[in-house]
Structure formats: structure tokens, C-alpha cells
Amino acid sequence: MTIAANVGPALAREVANATSIGELRHQAEGCTRCDLYRNATQIVFGEGPVKTEIVLVGEQPGDQEDVSGRPFVGPAGRLLDRCLEEAGLDRQRCYVTNAVKHFKFTQRGKRRLHAKPNAGEIKRCAWWLGAEINILQPKLVVTLGASALYALLGPKVKLTPERGHILYPANRPPVLVTIHPSYLLRIRDEADQRRQRRDFVSDLHKAAAYRSQ
Ligand code: URA
């Protein structure tokens, strides 16, 4: 399925201007484009090789990522790592980033509970995500969950019907649509969880196959 270039407002038409990921990260460290920087510990920028074929995009850093400053190092990240390995994808060869670069949470006593970023926050942060993708020019972008999909392709493209498909936006790298690993962690029914995990690995396997084409 080919999608027109201007599918939605989410991925900003204008993005940060930088010639390297290092320069971009440096600029992003001072980001005040939305209010999320106020309560977060630090920005969690993308990481991985700049000569990469695959960019994985999650939603936003969680509690552990906020503290460590690195994407996908908490429970969802560990599950992602295992599923990538099963799919034959080496995380060390992928660039891993998020649609939103600061942790959004609500405080409950001592706990900081994940809060979903809103459309405005995703749009503001597309300034960075768009620039990361422009610099990296990967062969394939994998969206993990609805927020990443929204950031890349806007509101008209929905996760459920497109899950497992590779979409081809004009003038941008192809996008493989899949779920977020934290969804798997929330499934209570064991059989359902097994099924969903198997489908997730199979989606990631498509990314591995695409890379080696
Ligand atoms: N969930 C995400 O979407 N990104 C992370 O970095 C961690 C958890």
C-alpha cells in the first residue's frame, strides 16, 4: 500500500536542522518544545549505529529509561530484546528511538505511572524524530505501537488493520507496523499472550527479511 506524502500532521513538515545524530542529540538536550521536559529527569534520545538499515520507534521512555537516559532498557525493552533475537535481528545493529523523548507520568505516592503522550506532544517531538530519520536514511522504520505509528504516518493510519504490513509513504523510508512490546506484558491470558508474542516475532522477522533483501 502506498500512502500519499502528506498523510497527516503528526510528522512535522519542518524538522530540526542538523548534520549528524550527535549534533541533533546535543540540540535536543535543551528541548522545551512541550512541557514534558519539566518533570522528566533527562531527555532519552535514540541510540544505535548511524549506519543502520533499521530504525525501531517506540512511544516514549519509561521510568527506567528516564533514570538511565537510554531507550528500551526496562521490562518492555528486555522483552523487545528477546523477541528481536528470536526474529534474527541484532539490536546492536538497529537504531532504537522513541516518538516522544521525555518520560510522561503521573505521580502516585512514590511510583511514577506511565501516562500516554497526547497528539500535541507527539507532533512537537516529531521535530526530532523526523530529523533522526532524515539523517539515518534507514532501509526500514519499524513502528512499535500506536503512538509511533501516529508520529510517522498521522491519524488516518490505524494499527489494527495495518499490523504486520509494510507501508510505503512517498519520499520517506518504508514503515513496518507492529505492536508495542508493553502490550504483551499487559495480556493476562497465557494462550493469548503466546499468540500475540509469536505474531510480534513474526512481524520483526519481516524486518529482518526486508533488511537482507
Ligand atoms: N517504552 C517505549 O516506548 N520506549 C522506551 O524507551 C521504553 C519503553
Side-chain angles (χ1 to χ4, degrees), residues 86-105:
E86 283 172 39
L89 270 175
D90 181 356
R91 173 165 170 172
Q92 303 307 318
R93 291 179 59 193
C94 302
Y95 182 91
V96 182
T97 191
N98 281 302
V100 170
K101 311 286 194 243
H102 282 112
F103 180 35
K104 181 176 181 183
F105 60 94

Side-chain angles (χ1 to χ4, degrees), residues 142-157:
V142 180
T143 55
L144 304 168
S147 296
L149 180 60
Y150 179 79
L152 268 292
L153 297 179
K156 290 189 188 150
V157 185

Side-chain angles (χ1 to χ4, degrees), residues 44-81:
V44 178
F45 207 70
E47 68 171 28
V50 287
K51 280 193 180 9
T52 188
E53 290 179 312
I54 297 189
V55 171
L56 302 169
V57 184
E59 182 190 72
Q60 62 160 346
D63 184 67
Q64 293 188 28
E65 287 80 11
D66 172 75
V67 173
S68 72
R70 297 185 52 216
F72 280 106
V73 293
R78 288 192 290 276
L79 178 55
L80 175 64
D81 288 353

